[in-house]
Amino acid sequence: SVVVGISQELTAILERLTALELSDRYSKASEVLHDLGLPLPKPSPRVPIAPTPRQTWECVATMATTTEVNTLTATSEGKLLISGDNDGLVKIWDCERGEELWSLTGHEHIITSVAVSLDGRFIVSGSLDYAVNLWDLKAAKLLMTLFGHQDGVTRVLIAPDGRTLISSSRDKTIRLWNLQTGQLLGCLVGHQSSVEAIALDAHGQLLASGDASGAVKIWHLGTQELLRTLSGHAAKISAV
């Protein structure tokens, strides 16, 4: 047969295709090419995949303490480590040398939480003595003590804007403070048990809190409004 506009080679291939029995079954393309008398294509060269190097961690320093450490945080550049322990001490460490630089006294009970501002100027600590302490990191001195909670403080954090301090407590509340003046900005009420964990979103607009009964609540930090309560956990929320 003659097909206008089609090469003789392609015409021959089409004629051989129409001659194949319909009952034939092929599991591979190579079987079809074999029956058509066509050469098998050369396999493409395989490009070797370089193995992913394993990340290794090296201990650069060990900080020795005489009592149990309950909480740790680090400055944004990673040079200083801040710890809070059972003796009520806030300690500042040199991460590169593993040396204790300062030991800050000012709490009368176990330190439960520490936080540091993004600019590295301030440290905040919370304790079971009901107090929140604000420290000058560079001068290693206590600036002010914030009272208001009626039970032990469980968590403290500083908002990304560096202006708002947030603390949670066993008294079932979350308190918002002005970091510069220490003024109480608001008190979030709604939990039915000790507030054990708090966290902010990256923009500092939404606050998540978890309590000892397993409830998680979402708050709008600007309006201090409770947006949602998430239930489902049957035990204490340790982190959010």
Side-chain angles (χ1 to χ4, degrees):
S1 61
V2 178
V3 180
V4 179
I6 300 178
S7 67
Q8 293 183 354
E9 182 180 359
L10 181 57
T11 301
I13 293 175
L14 292 174
E15 289 178 345
R16 277 178 282 178
L17 277 172
T18 56
L20 294 174
E21 295 183 9
L22 296 178
S23 60
D24 289 343
R25 296 293 183 266
Y26 301 98
S27 60
K28 299 179 181 178
S30 60
E31 296 176 357
V32 178
L33 294 175
H34 178 270
D35 281 0
L36 292 175
L38 298 175
L40 295 178
K42 295 182 179 180
S44 302
R46 292 187 177 182
V47 179
I49 300 175
T52 303
R54 292 185 178 181
Q55 188 174 20
T56 58
W57 296 89
E58 179 184 358
C59 178
V60 296
T62 299
M63 290 77 160
T65 64
T66 58
T67 185
E68 182 178 346
V69 174
N70 300 310
T71 177
L72 291 169
T73 191
T75 53
S76 58
E77 79 283 358
K79 293 183 178 180
L80 298 178
L81 183 72
I82 296 93
S83 65
D85 61 31
N86 275 357
D87 286 341
L89 300 176
V90 175
K91 295 185 177 183
I92 303 171
W93 308 79
D94 185 306
C95 290
E96 294 180 355
R97 294 180 295 176
E99 296 179 358
E100 179 184 325
L101 300 178
W102 299 286
S103 183
L104 309 180
T105 60
H107 283 291
E108 299 178 356
H109 211 310
I110 293 171
I111 306 293
T112 55
S113 182
V114 290
V116 63
S117 59
L118 288 177
D119 59 11
R121 295 176 58 197
F122 303 108
I123 298 173
V124 176
S125 58
S127 169
L128 295 185
D129 62 7
Y130 302 11
V132 176
N133 280 352
L134 177 64
W135 312 82
D136 184 312
L137 176 54
K138 292 184 178 180
K141 69 177 183 179
L142 179 64
L143 296 176
M144 66 180 78
T145 298
L146 308 178
F147 291 107
H149 284 296
Q150 303 302 306
D151 205 334
V153 176
T154 55
R155 294 290 184 274
V156 292
L157 58 83
I158 300 174
D161 62 10
R163 297 195 298 264
T164 306
L165 162 64
I166 306 168
S167 59
S168 62
S169 171
R170 291 179 176 178
D171 66 7
K172 309 175 187 178
T173 70
I174 301 166
R175 292 180 181 262
L176 313 178
W177 314 82
N178 183 300
L179 187 65
Q180 300 294 330
T181 66
Q183 178 186 0
L184 181 64
L185 303 176
C187 183
L188 307 183
V189 179
H191 282 284
Q192 302 302 310
S193 60
S194 171
V195 184
E196 297 292 325
I198 51 175
L200 278 172
D201 74 327
H203 303 290
Q205 297 179 352
L206 298 178
L207 175 71
S209 57
D211 65 28
S213 66
V216 175
K217 295 183 182 292
I218 309 297
W219 312 79
H220 189 283
L221 197 61
T223 64
Q224 301 182 21
E225 176 188 3
L226 176 61
L227 301 178
R228 183 172 297 179
T229 297
L230 309 176
S231 58
H233 291 288
K236 179 178 74 173
I237 303 295
S238 300
V240 290

